[in-house]
Amino acid sequence: MFSRESQVAQYPRTGPPGISYFRGSLTDETYVDCLLYRDETGKLVGIFNHYPTDLPPYERQGDRNIWIHPGRRRQGIGTALWLEAL
């Protein structure tokens, strides 16, 4: 349905290394809570999305998803994002 690349394109291309928060505003009332994980060079390698409201037809209130760069999987990035979200 969606690709990791389509997700990455929605965020600033550069940023500080580590985990940071980004509010993905769709409208004044509709947004997605996003945690972004960037490597030591600032490259985006992990995304955690939380949907606080319904986003028809794709997401329901409370849904979450995690996107990790294929070359960076199994390195604890998804776990770090999940723990930060908790």
Side-chain angles (χ1 to χ4, degrees):
M1 177 148 83
F2 294 106
S3 67
R4 190 192 71 81
E5 291 78 17
S6 72
Q7 293 295 307
V8 170
Q10 298 179 46
Y11 303 102
R13 296 191 59 83
T14 60
I19 297 175
S20 60
Y21 174 77
F22 181 85
R23 183 178 169 128
S25 296
L26 305 171
T27 68
D28 288 341
E29 296 85 26
T30 307
Y31 63 93
V32 179
D33 288 314
C34 311
L35 292 175
L36 307 178
Y37 187 105
R38 296 180 184 276
D39 68 10
E40 57 282 344
T41 68
K43 179 182 176 184
L44 184 57
V45 295
I47 302 167
F48 176 95
N49 291 329
H50 170 258
Y51 301 87
T53 60
D54 288 343
L55 189 61
Y58 305 109
E59 304 292 348
R60 295 186 200 171
Q61 180 180 7
D63 283 355
R64 301 169 203 92
N65 53 48
I66 298 177
W67 302 83
I68 307 297
H69 185 283
R72 298 296 303 267
R73 292 182 181 153
R74 309 289 306 164
Q75 296 178 16
I77 295 169
T79 299
L81 288 166
W82 177 255
L83 292 175
E84 183 70 20
L86 292 177

